[in-house]
Amino acid sequence: MSRVEVQTIKTDGHTILLGRHSLAHLAELLATRDFAASKIFILVDENTLKHCLPLLLSKVAALREAEVLEIPAGEESKSLEIAQQLWAALSDMAADRDSLLINLGGGVVSDLGGFLAGNFKRGLRFINCPTSLLAQVDASVGGKVGINFNGIKNELGLFKNPELVFVDPEFLGTLPQREMRCGLAEMLKHGLVCDAAYWHELQSLSFYEPDELDKAINRSVQIKAEIVSSDPFESGRRKVLNFGHTVGHALEAYAMEGDMQELNHGEAVAVGMVCEAFISHRAGFLNESEIQEISSTLFENFPKIIIPDMAHHRILSLMRHDKKNAGGKLRFSLLEGIGDSCYDQEVPAENVIDALNFYKRWVSPIS
């Protein structure tokens, strides 16, 4: 198989260029009058400053004079405090509405950078150059941006589309295996919610085969873009992309409180998908063999997470802040089968507790 060349995917609000030569198009665009910017800023974290910015500058010489804004790496940077510091820096450096922000990083940089740009002077143009697998297949696509607030994931945010997204898999060479698997969680979700054949392909995906990885990235971006285009403001079908995230986001927020082991987003979503597959089974949607296949695949690819017994009610409390809820009722996106999904499914709290216990039986089977 020949390596996938640059492809263009259009959503309802923005264009995505994918491929190991995609950044050459950014260099060409920045040289055109229509894409001229009064000033260019590049948002990085401490890791992408070291590992990714040199690669970007080597491919796009026009960015060598850009102002660089650096944040600490990690989920803690998706905060109002960091956003305020960045807005102050933009003001101090005379950013105006003709300025351009380039977000060079993973999910945190994509989410925070879009939120930063969407609010400053009622909206700056921004471009996403995702450098993690998670950001390339999910966070940088679709125009959902935001920050965490008051201990709740993505509590503050808006819909704000980037001008363009450049997905260059060459950046992934800087990532440790754990971060690659963080992105795999979202890819597996894409297969589970709408493409059974893709789900089965991912079960044998090798991160070490560039052609295979590039093809999988393209398929995930196609799935995300098609769903986003059909429902840009998440009033209906787009909600299926939240599968695994109601439990996952609550677990991630709980871990950030310091009462259990540290989790990255993909690890939390993997737990969430096991739990929400069980809830789908309890709702009569998934059969026994399907839930076993889903659980086995996720446990083969992700670490087993110890969830303290005392955590259940706190996790439920955090879930009640989920944006899909209505009328005080927990609402989930569930699976109706592998490759098929539904949304706005009301789920009683006891089913969530049973799902957490189901996960824990996989972690510590009763002898």
Side-chain angles (χ1 to χ4, degrees), residues 10 15 19 54 66 84 90 114 125 129 146 152 176 197 208 214 222-223 241 260 276 295 299 323 336 343 347 353:
K10 292 187 180 292
T15 298
Q84 288 173 325
L90 288 171
R125 295 177 300 163
C129 292
I152 308 299
Y208 304 104
D214 290 7
Q222 287 169 355
I223 289 171
L241 295 173
M260 64 177 286
E276 294 178 30
S295 300
F299 276 104
K323 291 176 282 295
E336 295 186 294
Y343 56 89
V347 173
I353 297 295

Side-chain angles (χ1 to χ4, degrees), residues 34-203:
D34 290 343
F35 221 80
S38 59
K39 205 163 194 178
I40 300 177
F41 299 86
I42 304 175
L43 179 65
V44 297
D45 66 23
E46 58 199 90
N47 293 327
T48 57
L49 175 69
K50 177 180 179 181
H51 298 293
C52 301
L53 184 59
L55 177 60
L56 176 66
L57 298 183
S58 72
K59 293 190 172 192
V60 190
L63 296 179
R64 292 173 187 170
E65 301 302 317
E67 300 281 359
V68 177
L69 305 171
E70 182 189 355
I71 61 171
E75 188 73 19
E76 292 79 8
S77 286
K78 278 178 57 173
S79 69
L80 189 56
E81 178 184 6
I82 295 292
Q84 288 173 325
Q85 292 172 8
L86 291 168
W87 283 322
L90 288 171
S91 290
D92 291 343
M93 289 186 281
D96 58 34
R97 294 188 70 179
D98 290 323
S99 297
L100 175 68
L101 176 68
I102 295 177
N103 298 319
L104 180 70
V108 169
V109 170
S110 296
D111 285 353
L112 173 64
F115 182 79
L116 183 73
N119 284 281
F120 189 78
K121 295 187 183 293
R122 296 196 178 94
L124 297 184
R125 295 177 300 163
F126 68 98
I127 287 172
N128 287 335
C129 292
T131 61
S132 71
L133 186 58
L134 168 67
Q136 291 193 353
V137 301
D138 188 69
S140 68
V141 176
K144 280 172 64 174
V145 300
I147 60 173
N148 307 329
F149 180 71
N150 202 26
I152 308 299
K153 283 275 295 183
N154 301 323
E155 182 78 343
L156 302 179
L158 64 152
F159 292 95
K160 176 67 174 176
N161 284 314
E163 294 288 310
L164 294 161
V165 180
F166 291 88
V167 176
D168 185 344
E170 192 171 343
F171 284 119
L172 303 181
T174 68
L175 291 182
Q177 191 78 357
R178 185 185 182 197
E179 288 302 313
M180 291 293 285
R181 297 205 175 277
C182 186
L184 177 63
E186 296 290 352
M187 299 165 80
L188 289 167
K189 177 200 73 179
H190 292 152
L192 284 173
V193 300
C194 70
D195 189 337
Y198 181 49
W199 158 262
H200 292 301
E201 289 173 8
L202 288 171
Q203 289 174 318

